[in-house]
Amino acid sequence: SELQSPCNLVCRLLLEKKQTNQYYCILIFSIYIFFNDTATTEIYTLSLHDALPIWNELLELNDAQGNDIGAVNVERSYHQGIEASLDIELLKSVFLDKKKDGAGDRLTLSQTYTLNDFHFDGDPVFGDNRIGGLPIHLYEAELLYVTEAGFYAGPNVQCNITRYPVDQANTLFADSYALIGFKIGYRPKKGFSIFFEAKNLTDQRFASAVDPIADARTASDAQIFHPGDGRAFYGGISWSW
């Protein structure tokens, strides 16, 4: 069920059945804040997530002797995080003057940030370790030059700011990375559109995803990391009416 108040405080109550036929409830509070400053065209959003202790979350675990016991229910765990974004118009009429019936050209900056703070809560084997396989700090930004006619171009960056554990014992980690890209295109309101995009321009090696395990020290042959794409170029055309 979901309850939403006039002040944008959202309370969700979730009831889920696990494989052990046990039920647990999660109470999540999310606060959403929106600002729209029409003078500078700035839009901010902020979402805060905090959960009561979660019972019987299903995770891949080992027992106290280090033996793999597969996917079992954890007695208690805790999930909390932040999601934030900022869209701002940095400059107006950069090279082209604003026309009476148009917006001219502009330079915009879009940013998003995510914090995932998921961890065990007093587990007999893993204590208060972080839950493996989840990036902790994620950041994305794009600087874009846009004209009223539909031309756009600009750089972007995708960052996994810190390393994060890929096993529940927190002994093996996926490295941090920063991927730089660039895109350019023409997209009018109607008619022919074209785009070209370059990703991972520095050809950085990184893990785009992981398969978390219980303890990397007892699973030396486990296939955990999924490699991300190297330097790549994309393009396309479309027609709208």
Side-chain angles (χ1 to χ4, degrees):
S1 64
E2 180 175 304
L3 174 66
Q4 182 168 352
S5 71
C7 64
N8 293 325
L9 175 62
V10 179
C11 174
R12 294 185 179 90
L13 182 62
L14 306 177
L15 185 64
E16 183 172 337
K17 184 177 181 181
K18 289 296 186 181
Q19 292 181 355
T20 56
N21 294 323
Q22 297 179 5
Y23 291 86
Y24 70 92
C25 296
I26 308 174
L27 190 62
I28 302 176
F29 293 93
S30 300
I31 301 173
Y32 299 87
I33 305 173
F34 301 91
F35 302 94
N36 190 348
D37 186 344
T38 55
T40 57
T41 317
E42 300 176 5
I43 301 176
Y44 312 82
T45 66
L46 176 64
S47 176
L48 307 176
H49 305 278
D50 198 0
L52 294 173
I54 300 171
W55 287 270
N56 298 319
E57 182 177 4
L58 196 63
L59 295 173
E60 189 83 15
L61 299 180
N62 285 0
D63 61 19
Q65 287 73 43
N67 300 311
D68 186 357
I69 56 177
V72 296
N73 295 97
V74 178
E75 183 176 356
R76 285 162 59 95
S77 58
Y78 202 88
H79 294 189
Q80 59 187 0
I82 295 173
E83 295 177 2
S85 67
L86 168 63
D87 296 331
I88 181 172
E89 194 171 77
L90 296 175
L91 296 172
K92 296 181 180 179
S93 301
V94 184
F95 302 110
L96 305 173
D97 292 333
K98 180 179 179 181
K99 298 180 180 179
K100 182 177 180 180
D101 56 347
D105 61 347
R106 61 192 186 277
L107 186 66
T108 64
L109 175 64
S110 300
Q111 302 177 86
T112 62
Y113 167 74
T114 303
L115 167 66
N116 297 311
D117 184 19
F118 294 6
H119 54 83
F120 294 92
D121 188 7
D123 185 80
V125 176
F126 300 107
D128 295 329
N129 284 0
R130 289 192 177 277
I131 294 176
L134 296 169
I136 303 170
H137 301 280
L138 295 173
Y139 173 76
E140 295 186 7
E142 181 177 71
L143 185 66
L144 202 62
Y145 172 73
V146 184
T147 70
E148 177 67 17
F151 172 80
Y152 62 90
N156 54 72
V157 62
Q158 299 178 4
C159 297
N160 175 28
I161 299 175
T162 60
R163 67 175 192 166
Y164 62 93
V166 299
D167 64 342
Q168 315 303 355
N170 293 180
T171 63
L172 182 63
F173 295 81
D175 291 333
S176 60
Y177 60 80
L179 307 178
I180 299 173
F182 188 89
K183 68 180 182 181
I184 185 171
Y186 174 68
R187 184 176 55 231
K189 295 179 180 178
K190 291 183 179 180
F192 176 77
S193 299
I194 186 171
F195 79 92
F196 175 80
E197 184 172 4
K199 295 185 177 182
N200 193 5
L201 285 171
T202 59
D203 201 23
Q204 184 170 357
R205 296 178 62 183
F206 70 102
S208 60
V210 299
D211 294 326
I213 60 174
D215 192 334
R217 295 170 297 184
T218 60
S220 57
D221 296 330
Q223 302 297 314
I224 301 172
F225 299 96
H226 295 266
D229 293 333
R231 185 186 297 115
F233 303 93
Y234 304 88
I237 58 175
S238 65
W239 179 271
S240 62
W241 61 90

